Amino acid sequence: MRVLVTRPAHSAERTAQRLREMGHEPLLLPLRQPLHDAAAAAKALAATGGAIAVTSAEALRVVSALGENLHPHLDRPLFAVGETTAKEAESLGFQSVFVSSGNGRDLADLVAAQGADGLLYLTGMPRAETFEQGLRESGIRFSVAECYHMQPAAPGPAEIAAIFSGGQPDVILFYSRQTADDFFRLPQLRATLRKQDAIRLLCLSEAVAQAIPAALRKNVAISSMPDEKSLLSLL
């Protein structure tokens, strides 16, 4: 199958490799690109000493740029959503990684169960408030460091035409609510769906699926868990 991947380029390349290994043809159309602020991450790490939480591997890509300045923090407990993010943390050298297989709410429950008060949350914008709300409800004190911003990267008509020159996609993968919103704002991409009623729209979570127009909900399938392994199992 021809599978359209809408996530940022760095992540999309890894997804493309997985798709090829599964026998599919990936089409890469990044609709967001990260703008990193390593200085904000460094400042927050220096000002805190407790556990760290990340709900996206993008935050870990930011701190990877700190090099040796990250070393003093690698013994701090790190809480992560999903095995992929946890493995990224371990590859950087974090020695004590706790992983939630669910969403931000599940991660907040794990933090509370471990009693990790005084938490540093490394995150970006825009983001869902699920994790932070869960921490507040559990009475966990935390600080937030916004260390990246996911900026729209709208492709032009020529780029879209080039991607679809070999034929329309059979499946579109949506990983975030923001990316799905971006997709349906572009007239040329909306037209792609009108031409192929049978196209499948695979969403990482119910929150992502809410961005799909009502007329296309019949084409939607939602991952059983908010991770790529579960999403790709729908193919």
Side-chain angles (χ1 to χ4, degrees), residues 166-178:
Q168 301 296 321
D170 302 296
V171 179
I172 303 176
L173 303 180
F174 291 110
Y175 289 78
S176 74
R177 173 66 183 262
Q178 292 77 27

Side-chain angles (χ1 to χ4, degrees), residues 71 75 89 222:
H71 292 177
D75 61 350
I222 300 172

Side-chain angles (χ1 to χ4, degrees), residues 101-132:
S101 59
N103 56 21
R105 168 67 66 168
D106 296 321
L107 186 65
D109 291 342
L110 179 60
V111 170
Q114 294 293 325
D117 202 22
L119 185 81
L120 170 62
Y121 179 26
L122 296 174
T123 186
M125 283 291 292
R127 67 180 181 275
E129 296 289 333
T130 309
F131 177 57
E132 291 159 88

Side-chain angles (χ1 to χ4, degrees), residues 35-48:
L35 178 64
H36 290 178
D37 186 351
K43 181 178 179 180
L45 288 167
T48 58

Side-chain angles (χ1 to χ4, degrees), residues 90-218:
E90 291 169 348
S91 72
L92 289 177
F94 281 97
Q95 300 164 22
S96 182
V97 177
F98 299 85
V99 57
S100 164
S101 59
N103 56 21
R105 168 67 66 168
D106 296 321
L107 186 65
D109 291 342
L110 179 60
V111 170
Q114 294 293 325
D117 202 22
L119 185 81
L120 170 62
Y121 179 26
L122 296 174
T123 186
M125 283 291 292
R127 67 180 181 275
E129 296 289 333
T130 309
F131 177 57
E132 291 159 88
Q133 183 61 33
L135 292 177
R136 293 187 191 99
E137 292 176 2
S138 297
I140 299 293
R141 295 175 299 163
F142 67 97
S143 58
V144 177
E146 294 176 352
C147 58
Y148 66 92
H149 189 278
M150 299 303 296
Q151 298 181 312
E159 182 179 354
I160 295 172
I163 290 172
F164 294 159
S165 62
Q168 301 296 321
D170 302 296
V171 179
I172 303 176
L173 303 180
F174 291 110
Y175 289 78
S176 74
R177 173 66 183 262
Q178 292 77 27
T179 298
D181 285 336
D182 293 341
F183 184 97
F184 290 104
R185 287 193 190 104
L186 294 172
Q188 193 171 354
L189 292 178
R190 290 200 305 270
T192 297
L193 300 186
R194 288 196 297 269
K195 294 175 183 176
Q196 190 174 356
D197 291 339
I199 196 167
R200 299 177 65 208
L201 310 174
L202 306 187
C203 299
L204 193 68
S205 68
E206 178 62 41
V208 177
Q210 290 173 3
I212 307 299
L216 295 169
R217 292 287 171 83
K218 66 182 186 301

Side-chain angles (χ1 to χ4, degrees), residues 22-73:
M22 296 171 68
H24 301 297
E25 179 185 354
L27 306 173
L28 305 189
L29 186 68
L31 296 176
R32 292 262 165 164
Q33 60 183 7
L35 178 64
H36 290 178
D37 186 351
K43 181 178 179 180
L45 288 167
T48 58
I52 300 165
V54 293
T55 53
S56 168
E58 200 62 51
L60 295 170
R61 295 183 194 114
V62 176
V63 300
S64 69
L66 300 180
E68 292 185 359
N69 291 328
L70 181 61
H71 292 177
H73 307 286

